[in-house]
PDB file of all heavy atoms in Angstrom:
ATOM      1  N   ALA B 251      10.580   1.742  -1.168  1.00  0.00           N
ATOM      2  CA  ALA B 251      10.434   0.746  -0.166  1.00  0.00           C
ATOM      3  C   ALA B 251      11.079   1.262   1.115  1.00  0.00           C
ATOM      4  O   ALA B 251      12.065   1.770   1.087  1.00  0.00           O
ATOM      5  CB  ALA B 251      11.012  -0.591  -0.551  1.00  0.00           C
ATOM      6  N   LEU B 252      10.415   0.940   2.294  1.00  0.00           N
ATOM      7  CA  LEU B 252      10.923   1.412   3.561  1.00  0.00           C
ATOM      8  C   LEU B 252      10.756   0.239   4.504  1.00  0.00           C
ATOM      9  O   LEU B 252       9.687  -0.217   4.771  1.00  0.00           O
ATOM     10  CB  LEU B 252      10.222   2.649   4.054  1.00  0.00           C
ATOM     11  CG  LEU B 252      10.906   3.363   5.167  1.00  0.00           C
ATOM     12  CD1 LEU B 252      12.301   3.957   4.786  1.00  0.00           C
ATOM     13  CD2 LEU B 252       9.979   4.555   5.564  1.00  0.00           C
ATOM     14  N   GLN B 253      11.935  -0.305   5.071  1.00  0.00           N
ATOM     15  CA  GLN B 253      11.959  -1.443   5.867  1.00  0.00           C
ATOM     16  C   GLN B 253      12.774  -1.269   7.173  1.00  0.00           C
ATOM     17  O   GLN B 253      13.639  -0.510   7.151  1.00  0.00           O
ATOM     18  CB  GLN B 253      12.524  -2.653   5.080  1.00  0.00           C
ATOM     19  CG  GLN B 253      11.763  -3.076   3.911  1.00  0.00           C
ATOM     20  CD  GLN B 253      12.237  -4.451   3.401  1.00  0.00           C
ATOM     21  OE1 GLN B 253      13.286  -4.916   3.760  1.00  0.00           O
ATOM     22  NE2 GLN B 253      11.434  -5.067   2.469  1.00  0.00           N
ATOM     23  N   SER B 254      12.315  -2.000   8.172  1.00  0.00           N
ATOM     24  CA  SER B 254      13.103  -2.074   9.358  1.00  0.00           C
ATOM     25  C   SER B 254      14.290  -2.987   8.999  1.00  0.00           C
ATOM     26  O   SER B 254      14.287  -3.712   8.103  1.00  0.00           O
ATOM     27  CB  SER B 254      12.289  -2.607  10.472  1.00  0.00           C
ATOM     28  OG  SER B 254      12.152  -4.075  10.368  1.00  0.00           O
ATOM     29  N   GLU B 255      15.274  -3.017   9.935  1.00  0.00           N
ATOM     30  CA  GLU B 255      16.438  -3.893   9.672  1.00  0.00           C
ATOM     31  C   GLU B 255      16.110  -5.327   9.701  1.00  0.00           C
ATOM     32  O   GLU B 255      16.810  -6.192   9.193  1.00  0.00           O
ATOM     33  CB  GLU B 255      17.601  -3.610  10.621  1.00  0.00           C
ATOM     34  CG  GLU B 255      17.271  -3.715  12.063  1.00  0.00           C
ATOM     35  CD  GLU B 255      18.373  -3.158  12.936  1.00  0.00           C
ATOM     36  OE1 GLU B 255      19.555  -3.376  12.645  1.00  0.00           O
ATOM     37  OE2 GLU B 255      18.031  -2.436  13.961  1.00  0.00           O
ATOM     38  N   LYS B 256      14.972  -5.686  10.214  1.00  0.00           N
ATOM     39  CA  LYS B 256      14.548  -7.119  10.257  1.00  0.00           C
ATOM     40  C   LYS B 256      13.589  -7.352   9.139  1.00  0.00           C
ATOM     41  O   LYS B 256      13.002  -8.476   9.007  1.00  0.00           O
ATOM     42  CB  LYS B 256      13.819  -7.423  11.610  1.00  0.00           C
ATOM     43  CG  LYS B 256      14.813  -7.400  12.792  1.00  0.00           C
ATOM     44  CD  LYS B 256      14.331  -8.141  13.917  1.00  0.00           C
ATOM     45  CE  LYS B 256      15.388  -8.291  15.029  1.00  0.00           C
ATOM     46  NZ  LYS B 256      15.071  -7.651  16.246  1.00  0.00           N
ATOM     47  N   GLY B 257      13.366  -6.415   8.197  1.00  0.00           N
ATOM     48  CA  GLY B 257      12.614  -6.641   7.052  1.00  0.00           C
ATOM     49  C   GLY B 257      11.086  -6.320   7.170  1.00  0.00           C
ATOM     50  O   GLY B 257      10.304  -6.615   6.310  1.00  0.00           O
ATOM     51  N   ARG B 258      10.753  -5.677   8.336  1.00  0.00           N
ATOM     52  CA  ARG B 258       9.334  -5.248   8.440  1.00  0.00           C
ATOM     53  C   ARG B 258       9.068  -4.099   7.585  1.00  0.00           C
ATOM     54  O   ARG B 258       9.917  -3.173   7.484  1.00  0.00           O
ATOM     55  CB  ARG B 258       9.082  -4.914   9.963  1.00  0.00           C
ATOM     56  CG  ARG B 258       7.692  -4.858  10.411  1.00  0.00           C
ATOM     57  CD  ARG B 258       7.571  -5.045  11.882  1.00  0.00           C
ATOM     58  NE  ARG B 258       8.485  -4.123  12.664  1.00  0.00           N
ATOM     59  CZ  ARG B 258       8.223  -2.831  12.929  1.00  0.00           C
ATOM     60  NH1 ARG B 258       7.008  -2.377  12.610  1.00  0.00           N
ATOM     61  NH2 ARG B 258       9.053  -2.062  13.525  1.00  0.00           N
ATOM     62  N   ASP B 259       7.837  -4.091   6.953  1.00  0.00           N
ATOM     63  CA  ASP B 259       7.502  -2.919   6.101  1.00  0.00           C
ATOM     64  C   ASP B 259       7.179  -1.704   6.988  1.00  0.00           C
ATOM     65  O   ASP B 259       6.332  -1.721   7.809  1.00  0.00           O
ATOM     66  CB  ASP B 259       6.329  -3.284   5.193  1.00  0.00           C
ATOM     67  CG  ASP B 259       5.881  -2.131   4.372  1.00  0.00           C
ATOM     68  OD1 ASP B 259       6.775  -1.390   4.026  1.00  0.00           O
ATOM     69  OD2 ASP B 259       4.692  -2.085   4.075  1.00  0.00           O
ATOM     70  N   LEU B 260       7.863  -0.550   6.724  1.00  0.00           N
ATOM     71  CA  LEU B 260       7.628   0.629   7.432  1.00  0.00           C
ATOM     72  C   LEU B 260       6.902   1.719   6.623  1.00  0.00           C
ATOM     73  O   LEU B 260       6.632   2.750   7.010  1.00  0.00           O
ATOM     74  CB  LEU B 260       8.935   1.229   7.996  1.00  0.00           C
ATOM     75  CG  LEU B 260       9.716   0.400   8.946  1.00  0.00           C
ATOM     76  CD1 LEU B 260      11.090   0.979   9.281  1.00  0.00           C
ATOM     77  CD2 LEU B 260       9.010   0.105  10.286  1.00  0.00           C
ATOM     78  N   ALA B 261       6.821   1.365   5.273  1.00  0.00           N
ATOM     79  CA  ALA B 261       6.318   2.371   4.336  1.00  0.00           C
ATOM     80  C   ALA B 261       4.806   2.832   4.692  1.00  0.00           C
ATOM     81  O   ALA B 261       4.591   3.994   4.649  1.00  0.00           O
ATOM     82  CB  ALA B 261       6.423   1.862   2.904  1.00  0.00           C
ATOM     83  N   ALA B 262       3.977   1.824   4.863  1.00  0.00           N
ATOM     84  CA  ALA B 262       2.568   2.184   5.089  1.00  0.00           C
ATOM     85  C   ALA B 262       2.381   3.101   6.236  1.00  0.00           C
ATOM     86  O   ALA B 262       1.496   3.993   6.175  1.00  0.00           O
ATOM     87  CB  ALA B 262       1.829   0.905   5.218  1.00  0.00           C
ATOM     88  N   VAL B 263       3.170   2.977   7.347  1.00  0.00           N
ATOM     89  CA  VAL B 263       2.828   3.754   8.451  1.00  0.00           C
ATOM     90  C   VAL B 263       3.662   5.016   8.538  1.00  0.00           C
ATOM     91  O   VAL B 263       3.542   5.840   9.506  1.00  0.00           O
ATOM     92  CB  VAL B 263       3.102   2.986   9.808  1.00  0.00           C
ATOM     93  CG1 VAL B 263       1.988   1.967   9.939  1.00  0.00           C
ATOM     94  CG2 VAL B 263       4.426   2.293   9.813  1.00  0.00           C
ATOM     95  N   ASN B 264       4.527   5.270   7.472  1.00  0.00           N
ATOM     96  CA  ASN B 264       5.269   6.445   7.490  1.00  0.00           C
ATOM     97  C   ASN B 264       5.236   7.189   6.100  1.00  0.00           C
ATOM     98  O   ASN B 264       6.239   7.409   5.478  1.00  0.00           O
ATOM     99  CB  ASN B 264       6.855   6.086   7.773  1.00  0.00           C
ATOM    100  CG  ASN B 264       7.004   5.581   9.115  1.00  0.00           C
ATOM    101  OD1 ASN B 264       7.002   6.417  10.138  1.00  0.00           O
ATOM    102  ND2 ASN B 264       7.170   4.265   9.314  1.00  0.00           N
ATOM    103  N   PRO B 265       4.002   7.597   5.691  1.00  0.00           N
ATOM    104  CA  PRO B 265       3.782   8.056   4.378  1.00  0.00           C
ATOM    105  C   PRO B 265       4.583   9.407   4.169  1.00  0.00           C
ATOM    106  O   PRO B 265       4.917   9.739   2.983  1.00  0.00           O
ATOM    107  CB  PRO B 265       2.247   8.340   4.327  1.00  0.00           C
ATOM    108  CG  PRO B 265       1.785   8.357   5.726  1.00  0.00           C
ATOM    109  CD  PRO B 265       2.730   7.483   6.540  1.00  0.00           C
ATOM    110  N   VAL B 266       4.693  10.214   5.291  1.00  0.00           N
ATOM    111  CA  VAL B 266       5.397  11.492   5.029  1.00  0.00           C
ATOM    112  C   VAL B 266       6.839  11.188   4.638  1.00  0.00           C
ATOM    113  O   VAL B 266       7.411  11.804   3.611  1.00  0.00           O
ATOM    114  CB  VAL B 266       5.377  12.350   6.233  1.00  0.00           C
ATOM    115  CG1 VAL B 266       6.102  13.568   6.133  1.00  0.00           C
ATOM    116  CG2 VAL B 266       3.894  12.569   6.677  1.00  0.00           C
TER     117      VAL B 266
END
Side-chain angles (χ1 to χ4, degrees):
L252 193 62
Q253 294 191 346
S254 75
E255 57 191 316
K256 293 200 171 116
R258 196 159 50 84
D259 178 33
L260 301 173
V263 288
N264 295 284
V266 177

